[in-house]
Amino acid sequence: TKNLTIAIDGPAAAGKSTVAKKVARRLSYTYIDTGAMYRALTWKAIQAGISLNDEKELSGLLSKTKIDLVQTKEGQSIMLDGKDVSLEVRTQEVTNQVSFTAKHKTVREAMVERQRQLVKTRGVVMDGRDIGTHVLPDADVKIFMVASVEERAERRHIENQEKGFASDLEQLKEEIRQRDAIDSTREYSPLVKAEDAIEVDTTSLSIDEVVERILTIVEKTK
Ligand code: C5P
């Protein structure tokens, strides 16, 4: 059996990272969360008081920024200049603004370059918005995960409640719609299904069912 590269793309809150992590674990592959990288830069820019609309400032900031994904017992941590910001990058503040960071051409080019360098050996599951179309166009398996806005918002809502966070279902729907709209309509590598990607609609599936479905596709490809 050979080691593959697996690209998982799709809209916000479709369960990509949860599924990608599990698929990676089952195959003993490396999981690479590209969204966390855009989130880390967004967090740093907010802290530094840099406008997310200022492409020049943002790419300048990125060029001076170290972003590492480290494997931990629990999964993966995102390190920003050596500091663990795994919790910070998941705040509402970052979630609702990260798409503005991710619009800029020069920011994306630098991120894509970093992401490709992370694929040193094969045996990788990478998730994001432009992995199958742009970062890894030659990926062996390309999955495009979709689910209705209602379903995605509801899952996030339950997750928030379980964590004891305040959560408003209607607001979540609006935020997910907003983020998808920005990600899908931006000029540079927008969120779009790659021609050769297999679409997996997770609306009525459990996480484990999605994982099994993807593993079946991977087995057929091997
Ligand atoms: O996957 P996640 O929700 O963490 O991604 C956060 C944001 O980062 C996305 O909404 C998108 O704006 C951006 N992103 C991107 N390209 C990727 C991964 C994430 O533009 N490959």
Side-chain angles (χ1 to χ4, degrees):
T1 58
K2 65 180 174 122
N3 283 337
L4 308 181
T5 48
I6 303 171
I8 301 183
D9 291 297
K16 295 186 301 293
S17 65
T18 309
V19 166
K21 228 176 277 174
K22 286 201 169 205
V23 168
R25 189 167 308 156
R26 286 277 293 274
L27 296 166
S28 300
Y29 282 12
T30 307
Y31 166 55
I32 301 172
D33 178 356
T34 63
M37 299 171 71
Y38 289 97
R39 286 170 179 270
L41 178 63
T42 302
W43 171 252
K44 186 170 178 177
I46 294 171
Q47 299 310 302
I50 288 172
S51 163
L52 302 182
N53 294 317
D54 193 331
E55 173 164 13
K56 220 169 151 215
E57 283 278 326
L58 272 182
S59 5
L61 185 70
L62 178 57
S63 68
K64 295 176 291 183
T65 300
K66 211 166 139 11
I67 299 175
D68 296 295
L69 298 164
V70 300
Q71 312 296 323
T72 62
K73 266 203 274 37
E74 298 78 43
Q76 194 163 79
S77 288
I78 176 93
M79 309 294 289
L80 175 69
D81 299 320
K83 182 175 173 280
D84 189 336
V85 292
S86 306
L87 294 178
E88 287 84 345
V89 301
R90 299 287 150 202
T91 55
Q92 280 291 100
E93 189 185 22
V94 171
T95 299
N96 291 335
Q97 297 187 69
V98 58
S99 290
F100 297 108
T101 302
K103 275 169 80 164
H104 305 297
K105 182 171 191 255
T106 51
V107 170
R108 299 202 66 82
E109 283 171 349
M111 286 293 195
V112 168
E113 166 95 38
R114 289 179 188 217
Q115 288 155 7
R116 286 185 184 144
Q117 275 177 7
L118 290 175
V119 190
K120 287 184 205 90
T121 52
R122 297 170 80 77
V124 159
V125 183
M126 191 182 276
D127 81 341
R129 301 292 184 289
D130 61 338
I131 311 307
T133 52
H134 210 80
V135 182
L136 305 175
D138 297 327
D140 301 297
V141 176
K142 296 183 185 179
I143 304 291
F144 197 75
M145 272 177 66
V146 297
S148 70
V149 172
E150 285 70 24
E151 172 86 14
R152 288 183 280 145
E154 228 143 85
R155 288 182 196 154
R156 221 8 88 82
H157 189 52
I158 294 169
E159 222 176 273
N160 284 344
Q161 288 177 327
E162 281 171 358
K163 289 182 188 160
F165 296 166
S167 186
D168 179 328
L169 185 59
E170 286 312 310
Q171 192 185 332
L172 279 174
K173 278 186 204 168
E174 197 40 50
E175 286 167 0
I176 287 172
R177 273 197 204 99
Q178 280 268 344
R179 193 139 67 97
D180 286 350
I182 302 171
D183 289 344
S184 310
T185 60
R186 69 181 174 222
E187 193 175 350
Y188 304 103
S189 50
L191 167 66
V192 36
K193 177 175 169 284
E195 252 174 60
D196 50 351
I198 299 171
E199 183 166 313
V200 177
D201 188 336
T202 73
T203 303
S204 56
L205 300 178
S206 70
I207 287 167
D208 286 325
E209 285 170 329
V210 178
V211 170
E212 289 311 321
R213 199 162 288 195
I214 293 175
L215 286 172
T216 306
I217 295 167
V218 170
E219 283 314 314
K220 280 189 197 143
T221 311
K222 271 187 170 177

